[in-house]
mmCIF file of all heavy atoms in Angstrom:
data_model
loop_
_atom_site.group_PDB
_atom_site.id
_atom_site.type_symbol
_atom_site.label_atom_id
_atom_site.label_comp_id
_atom_site.label_asym_id
_atom_site.label_seq_id
_atom_site.Cartn_x
_atom_site.Cartn_y
_atom_site.Cartn_z
ATOM 1 N N ILE A 130 0.805 -1.171 0.008
ATOM 2 C CA ILE A 130 -0.035 0.057 -0.017
ATOM 3 C C ILE A 130 0.869 1.280 0.008
ATOM 4 O O ILE A 130 1.872 1.349 0.814
ATOM 5 C CB ILE A 130 -0.894 -0.014 1.238
ATOM 6 C CG1 ILE A 130 -1.817 -1.186 1.305
ATOM 7 C CG2 ILE A 130 -1.737 1.332 1.244
ATOM 8 C CD1 ILE A 130 -2.921 -1.255 0.228
ATOM 9 N N ALA A 131 0.585 2.228 -0.844
ATOM 10 C CA ALA A 131 1.193 3.499 -0.792
ATOM 11 C C ALA A 131 0.172 4.505 -0.214
ATOM 12 O O ALA A 131 -1.032 4.559 -0.628
ATOM 13 C CB ALA A 131 1.552 3.975 -2.198
ATOM 14 N N THR A 132 0.616 5.309 0.748
ATOM 15 C CA THR A 132 -0.200 6.330 1.368
ATOM 16 C C THR A 132 0.376 7.707 0.910
ATOM 17 O O THR A 132 1.467 8.029 1.153
ATOM 18 C CB THR A 132 -0.163 6.231 2.885
ATOM 19 O OG1 THR A 132 -0.552 4.934 3.328
ATOM 20 C CG2 THR A 132 -1.023 7.254 3.559
ATOM 21 N N ILE A 133 -0.506 8.459 0.237
ATOM 22 C CA ILE A 133 -0.110 9.723 -0.399
ATOM 23 C C ILE A 133 -0.904 10.865 0.235
ATOM 24 O O ILE A 133 -2.106 10.779 0.208
ATOM 25 C CB ILE A 133 -0.322 9.706 -1.853
ATOM 26 C CG1 ILE A 133 0.339 8.423 -2.512
ATOM 27 C CG2 ILE A 133 0.205 10.981 -2.537
ATOM 28 C CD1 ILE A 133 -0.465 7.814 -3.688
ATOM 29 N N GLN A 134 -0.214 11.775 0.872
ATOM 30 C CA GLN A 134 -0.880 12.926 1.410
ATOM 31 C C GLN A 134 -0.513 14.168 0.596
ATOM 32 O O GLN A 134 0.683 14.378 0.350
ATOM 33 C CB GLN A 134 -0.578 13.133 2.874
ATOM 34 C CG GLN A 134 -1.069 11.995 3.697
ATOM 35 C CD GLN A 134 -0.865 12.270 5.228
ATOM 36 O OE1 GLN A 134 0.258 12.575 5.680
ATOM 37 N NE2 GLN A 134 -1.963 12.209 5.970
ATOM 38 N N TYR A 135 -1.504 15.006 0.212
ATOM 39 C CA TYR A 135 -1.280 16.118 -0.586
ATOM 40 C C TYR A 135 -2.144 17.391 -0.153
ATOM 41 O O TYR A 135 -3.151 17.199 0.472
ATOM 42 C CB TYR A 135 -1.463 15.808 -2.124
ATOM 43 C CG TYR A 135 -2.863 15.412 -2.406
ATOM 44 C CD1 TYR A 135 -3.853 16.336 -2.816
ATOM 45 C CD2 TYR A 135 -3.253 14.030 -2.424
ATOM 46 C CE1 TYR A 135 -5.137 15.952 -3.154
ATOM 47 C CE2 TYR A 135 -4.530 13.647 -2.834
ATOM 48 C CZ TYR A 135 -5.487 14.642 -3.144
ATOM 49 O OH TYR A 135 -6.720 14.194 -3.455
ATOM 50 N N LEU A 136 -1.595 18.532 -0.522
ATOM 51 C CA LEU A 136 -2.294 19.773 -0.105
ATOM 52 C C LEU A 136 -3.145 20.297 -1.258
ATOM 53 O O LEU A 136 -2.732 20.409 -2.364
ATOM 54 C CB LEU A 136 -1.164 20.806 0.226
ATOM 55 C CG LEU A 136 -1.615 22.149 0.725
ATOM 56 C CD1 LEU A 136 -2.245 21.979 2.046
ATOM 57 C CD2 LEU A 136 -0.425 23.069 0.756
ATOM 58 N N LYS A 137 -4.366 20.684 -0.784
ATOM 59 C CA LYS A 137 -5.279 21.256 -1.800
ATOM 60 C C LYS A 137 -6.262 22.181 -1.064
ATOM 61 O O LYS A 137 -6.962 21.714 -0.160
ATOM 62 C CB LYS A 137 -6.064 20.166 -2.573
ATOM 63 C CG LYS A 137 -7.016 20.744 -3.667
ATOM 64 C CD LYS A 137 -7.635 19.594 -4.380
ATOM 65 C CE LYS A 137 -8.669 20.066 -5.468
ATOM 66 N NZ LYS A 137 -9.345 18.991 -6.084
ATOM 67 N N ASP A 138 -6.278 23.414 -1.454
ATOM 68 C CA ASP A 138 -7.241 24.387 -0.789
ATOM 69 C C ASP A 138 -7.115 24.410 0.692
ATOM 70 O O ASP A 138 -8.148 24.392 1.443
ATOM 71 C CB ASP A 138 -8.698 24.092 -1.193
ATOM 72 C CG ASP A 138 -8.960 24.079 -2.710
ATOM 73 O OD1 ASP A 138 -8.282 24.999 -3.352
ATOM 74 O OD2 ASP A 138 -9.762 23.340 -3.193
ATOM 75 N N ASP A 139 -5.916 24.452 1.168
ATOM 76 C CA ASP A 139 -5.627 24.582 2.588
ATOM 77 C C ASP A 139 -6.072 23.304 3.364
ATOM 78 O O ASP A 139 -6.193 23.350 4.660
ATOM 79 C CB ASP A 139 -6.182 25.841 3.258
ATOM 80 C CG ASP A 139 -5.520 27.076 2.638
ATOM 81 O OD1 ASP A 139 -4.317 27.017 2.368
ATOM 82 O OD2 ASP A 139 -6.242 28.088 2.499
ATOM 83 N N GLU A 140 -6.363 22.232 2.707
ATOM 84 C CA GLU A 140 -6.689 20.986 3.392
ATOM 85 C C GLU A 140 -5.703 19.843 2.970
ATOM 86 O O GLU A 140 -5.185 19.981 1.831
ATOM 87 C CB GLU A 140 -8.089 20.555 3.044
ATOM 88 C CG GLU A 140 -9.182 21.461 3.413
ATOM 89 C CD GLU A 140 -9.390 21.309 5.029
ATOM 90 O OE1 GLU A 140 -9.307 20.301 5.531
ATOM 91 O OE2 GLU A 140 -9.771 22.365 5.617
ATOM 92 N N ILE A 141 -5.435 18.958 3.824
ATOM 93 C CA ILE A 141 -4.568 17.805 3.557
ATOM 94 C C ILE A 141 -5.411 16.649 3.179
ATOM 95 O O ILE A 141 -6.264 16.186 4.072
ATOM 96 C CB ILE A 141 -3.615 17.511 4.644
ATOM 97 C CG1 ILE A 141 -2.629 18.702 4.871
ATOM 98 C CG2 ILE A 141 -2.850 16.275 4.337
ATOM 99 C CD1 ILE A 141 -1.787 18.574 6.142
ATOM 100 N N TYR A 142 -5.315 16.068 2.092
ATOM 101 C CA TYR A 142 -6.029 14.888 1.621
ATOM 102 C C TYR A 142 -5.144 13.677 1.716
ATOM 103 O O TYR A 142 -3.863 13.750 1.456
ATOM 104 C CB TYR A 142 -6.555 15.061 0.145
ATOM 105 C CG TYR A 142 -7.621 16.115 -0.012
ATOM 106 C CD1 TYR A 142 -7.309 17.453 0.033
ATOM 107 C CD2 TYR A 142 -8.961 15.728 -0.156
ATOM 108 C CE1 TYR A 142 -8.327 18.387 -0.137
ATOM 109 C CE2 TYR A 142 -9.965 16.663 -0.326
ATOM 110 C CZ TYR A 142 -9.618 17.982 -0.304
ATOM 111 O OH TYR A 142 -10.576 18.942 -0.448
ATOM 112 N N THR A 143 -5.764 12.520 2.034
ATOM 113 C CA THR A 143 -5.024 11.260 2.150
ATOM 114 C C THR A 143 -5.607 10.250 1.043
ATOM 115 O O THR A 143 -6.828 9.953 1.085
ATOM 116 C CB THR A 143 -5.078 10.649 3.475
ATOM 117 O OG1 THR A 143 -4.594 11.590 4.431
ATOM 118 C CG2 THR A 143 -4.277 9.411 3.588
ATOM 119 N N GLU A 144 -4.745 9.771 0.250
ATOM 120 C CA GLU A 144 -5.181 8.820 -0.816
ATOM 121 C C GLU A 144 -4.276 7.576 -0.662
ATOM 122 O O GLU A 144 -3.100 7.681 -0.346
ATOM 123 C CB GLU A 144 -5.042 9.459 -2.244
ATOM 124 C CG GLU A 144 -5.765 8.611 -3.307
ATOM 125 C CD GLU A 144 -5.960 9.456 -4.495
ATOM 126 O OE1 GLU A 144 -5.493 10.640 -4.590
ATOM 127 O OE2 GLU A 144 -6.730 9.038 -5.457
ATOM 128 N N TYR A 145 -4.854 6.441 -1.030
ATOM 129 C CA TYR A 145 -4.149 5.169 -0.940
ATOM 130 C C TYR A 145 -4.068 4.519 -2.317
ATOM 131 O O TYR A 145 -5.040 4.599 -3.112
ATOM 132 C CB TYR A 145 -4.809 4.201 0.074
ATOM 133 C CG TYR A 145 -5.021 4.763 1.421
ATOM 134 C CD1 TYR A 145 -6.161 5.378 1.844
ATOM 135 C CD2 TYR A 145 -3.932 4.756 2.362
ATOM 136 C CE1 TYR A 145 -6.391 5.946 3.072
ATOM 137 C CE2 TYR A 145 -4.136 5.317 3.662
ATOM 138 C CZ TYR A 145 -5.356 5.864 3.965
ATOM 139 O OH TYR A 145 -5.531 6.404 5.257
ATOM 140 N N TYR A 146 -2.980 3.829 -2.560
ATOM 141 C CA TYR A 146 -2.911 3.068 -3.737
ATOM 142 C C TYR A 146 -2.575 1.552 -3.390
ATOM 143 O O TYR A 146 -1.610 1.354 -2.699
ATOM 144 C CB TYR A 146 -1.814 3.576 -4.680
ATOM 145 C CG TYR A 146 -1.698 2.656 -5.894
ATOM 146 C CD1 TYR A 146 -2.664 2.701 -6.929
ATOM 147 C CD2 TYR A 146 -0.639 1.764 -6.172
ATOM 148 C CE1 TYR A 146 -2.627 2.010 -8.071
ATOM 149 C CE2 TYR A 146 -0.552 0.997 -7.292
ATOM 150 C CZ TYR A 146 -1.492 1.108 -8.214
ATOM 151 O OH TYR A 146 -1.478 0.333 -9.309
ATOM 152 N N ASP A 147 -3.463 0.647 -3.751
ATOM 153 C CA ASP A 147 -3.300 -0.756 -3.512
ATOM 154 C C ASP A 147 -2.618 -1.411 -4.677
ATOM 155 O O ASP A 147 -3.133 -1.431 -5.829
ATOM 156 C CB ASP A 147 -4.678 -1.428 -3.290
ATOM 157 C CG ASP A 147 -4.558 -2.875 -2.802
ATOM 158 O OD1 ASP A 147 -3.706 -3.593 -3.398
ATOM 159 O OD2 ASP A 147 -5.310 -3.187 -1.913
ATOM 160 N N PHE A 148 -1.348 -1.853 -4.507
ATOM 161 C CA PHE A 148 -0.547 -2.403 -5.615
ATOM 162 C C PHE A 148 -1.089 -3.713 -6.237
ATOM 163 O O PHE A 148 -0.911 -4.075 -7.317
ATOM 164 C CB PHE A 148 0.898 -2.633 -5.186
ATOM 165 C CG PHE A 148 1.667 -1.402 -5.066
ATOM 166 C CD1 PHE A 148 1.658 -0.529 -3.931
ATOM 167 C CD2 PHE A 148 2.498 -1.003 -6.168
ATOM 168 C CE1 PHE A 148 2.363 0.535 -3.848
ATOM 169 C CE2 PHE A 148 3.150 0.189 -6.033
ATOM 170 C CZ PHE A 148 3.135 1.001 -4.933
ATOM 171 N N HIS A 149 -1.855 -4.455 -5.350
ATOM 172 C CA HIS A 149 -2.441 -5.740 -5.828
ATOM 173 C C HIS A 149 -3.753 -5.566 -6.552
ATOM 174 O O HIS A 149 -3.983 -6.162 -7.618
ATOM 175 C CB HIS A 149 -2.573 -6.607 -4.599
ATOM 176 C CG HIS A 149 -1.275 -6.815 -3.891
ATOM 177 N ND1 HIS A 149 -0.319 -7.769 -4.370
ATOM 178 C CD2 HIS A 149 -0.748 -6.272 -2.787
ATOM 179 C CE1 HIS A 149 0.716 -7.721 -3.559
ATOM 180 N NE2 HIS A 149 0.517 -6.767 -2.590
ATOM 181 N N LYS A 150 -4.604 -4.614 -6.101
ATOM 182 C CA LYS A 150 -5.836 -4.337 -6.683
ATOM 183 C C LYS A 150 -5.664 -3.327 -7.844
ATOM 184 O O LYS A 150 -6.531 -3.078 -8.668
ATOM 185 C CB LYS A 150 -6.879 -3.815 -5.849
ATOM 186 C CG LYS A 150 -7.286 -4.849 -4.707
ATOM 187 C CD LYS A 150 -8.334 -4.268 -3.700
ATOM 188 C CE LYS A 150 -8.723 -5.297 -2.675
ATOM 189 N NZ LYS A 150 -9.703 -4.661 -1.739
ATOM 190 N N LYS A 151 -4.475 -2.663 -7.843
ATOM 191 C CA LYS A 151 -4.146 -1.627 -8.843
ATOM 192 C C LYS A 151 -5.254 -0.540 -8.831
ATOM 193 O O LYS A 151 -5.798 -0.174 -9.841
ATOM 194 C CB LYS A 151 -4.012 -2.213 -10.235
ATOM 195 C CG LYS A 151 -2.933 -3.187 -10.346
ATOM 196 C CD LYS A 151 -2.743 -3.629 -11.780
ATOM 197 C CE LYS A 151 -1.710 -4.730 -11.920
ATOM 198 N NZ LYS A 151 -0.408 -4.629 -11.121
ATOM 199 N N LYS A 152 -5.541 -0.070 -7.568
ATOM 200 C CA LYS A 152 -6.645 0.831 -7.403
ATOM 201 C C LYS A 152 -6.327 1.931 -6.370
ATOM 202 O O LYS A 152 -5.761 1.625 -5.324
ATOM 203 C CB LYS A 152 -7.835 0.019 -6.920
ATOM 204 C CG LYS A 152 -9.133 0.865 -6.846
ATOM 205 C CD LYS A 152 -10.333 -0.055 -6.360
ATOM 206 C CE LYS A 152 -11.595 0.738 -6.233
ATOM 207 N NZ LYS A 152 -12.729 -0.148 -5.744
ATOM 208 N N TYR A 153 -6.826 3.206 -6.695
ATOM 209 C CA TYR A 153 -6.693 4.306 -5.722
ATOM 210 C C TYR A 153 -8.005 4.411 -4.958
ATOM 211 O O TYR A 153 -9.095 4.112 -5.426
ATOM 212 C CB TYR A 153 -6.466 5.567 -6.479
ATOM 213 C CG TYR A 153 -5.084 5.792 -7.034
ATOM 214 C CD1 TYR A 153 -4.816 5.431 -8.418
ATOM 215 C CD2 TYR A 153 -4.038 6.331 -6.305
ATOM 216 C CE1 TYR A 153 -3.497 5.629 -8.940
ATOM 217 C CE2 TYR A 153 -2.755 6.516 -6.832
ATOM 218 C CZ TYR A 153 -2.534 6.178 -8.090
ATOM 219 O OH TYR A 153 -1.321 6.291 -8.577
ATOM 220 N N SER A 154 -7.869 4.882 -3.659
ATOM 221 C CA SER A 154 -8.971 5.195 -2.902
ATOM 222 C C SER A 154 -8.698 6.457 -2.067
ATOM 223 O O SER A 154 -7.661 6.580 -1.484
ATOM 224 C CB SER A 154 -9.360 4.042 -1.955
ATOM 225 O OG SER A 154 -8.315 3.670 -1.083
ATOM 226 N N LEU A 155 -9.641 7.345 -1.984
ATOM 227 C CA LEU A 155 -9.502 8.536 -1.317
ATOM 228 C C LEU A 155 -10.173 8.556 0.096
ATOM 229 O O LEU A 155 -11.379 8.248 0.084
ATOM 230 C CB LEU A 155 -10.002 9.723 -2.130
ATOM 231 C CG LEU A 155 -9.855 11.187 -1.566
ATOM 232 C CD1 LEU A 155 -8.412 11.566 -1.474
ATOM 233 C CD2 LEU A 155 -10.644 12.135 -2.456
ATOM 234 N N GLU A 156 -9.484 8.864 1.116
ATOM 235 C CA GLU A 156 -10.090 9.015 2.417
ATOM 236 C C GLU A 156 -11.060 10.187 2.444
ATOM 237 O O GLU A 156 -10.740 11.256 2.065
ATOM 238 C CB GLU A 156 -9.011 9.072 3.475
ATOM 239 C CG GLU A 156 -9.461 8.862 4.921
ATOM 240 C CD GLU A 156 -8.320 8.763 5.903
ATOM 241 O OE1 GLU A 156 -7.617 7.759 5.866
ATOM 242 O OE2 GLU A 156 -8.145 9.750 6.659
ATOM 243 N N GLU A 157 -12.227 9.934 3.034
ATOM 244 C CA GLU A 157 -13.289 11.055 3.130
ATOM 245 C C GLU A 157 -12.873 12.185 3.975
ATOM 246 O O GLU A 157 -13.026 13.349 3.618
ATOM 247 C CB GLU A 157 -14.577 10.447 3.597
ATOM 248 C CG GLU A 157 -15.258 9.583 2.568
ATOM 249 C CD GLU A 157 -16.628 9.080 3.076
ATOM 250 O OE1 GLU A 157 -17.140 9.772 3.983
ATOM 251 O OE2 GLU A 157 -17.242 8.252 2.422
ATOM 252 N N LYS A 158 -12.182 11.828 5.111
ATOM 253 C CA LYS A 158 -11.828 12.850 6.096
ATOM 254 C C LYS A 158 -10.549 13.592 5.663
ATOM 255 O O LYS A 158 -9.648 12.992 5.217
ATOM 256 C CB LYS A 158 -11.614 12.227 7.447
ATOM 257 C CG LYS A 158 -11.329 13.202 8.559
ATOM 258 C CD LYS A 158 -11.179 12.529 9.866
ATOM 259 C CE LYS A 158 -10.996 13.549 10.996
ATOM 260 N NZ LYS A 158 -10.810 12.868 12.347
ATOM 261 N N THR A 159 -10.559 14.905 5.752
ATOM 262 C CA THR A 159 -9.426 15.735 5.433
ATOM 263 C C THR A 159 -8.841 16.216 6.713
ATOM 264 O O THR A 159 -9.403 16.183 7.765
ATOM 265 C CB THR A 159 -9.740 16.838 4.454
ATOM 266 O OG1 THR A 159 -10.641 17.666 5.043
ATOM 267 C CG2 THR A 159 -10.268 16.250 3.165
ATOM 268 N N GLU A 160 -7.662 16.953 6.594
ATOM 269 C CA GLU A 160 -7.004 17.472 7.738
ATOM 270 C C GLU A 160 -6.627 18.872 7.471
ATOM 271 O O GLU A 160 -6.258 19.231 6.388
ATOM 272 C CB GLU A 160 -5.765 16.586 7.983
ATOM 273 C CG GLU A 160 -4.918 16.978 9.234
ATOM 274 C CD GLU A 160 -3.718 16.038 9.438
ATOM 275 O OE1 GLU A 160 -3.586 15.128 8.608
ATOM 276 O OE2 GLU A 160 -3.000 16.276 10.364
#
């Protein structure tokens, strides 16, 4: 699993990439 955190509109988003499912998923909660 890759956990990617990025900045957008003064909020921090967390997105995951599953190498086996080859799929991204975005966490609903921001920081």
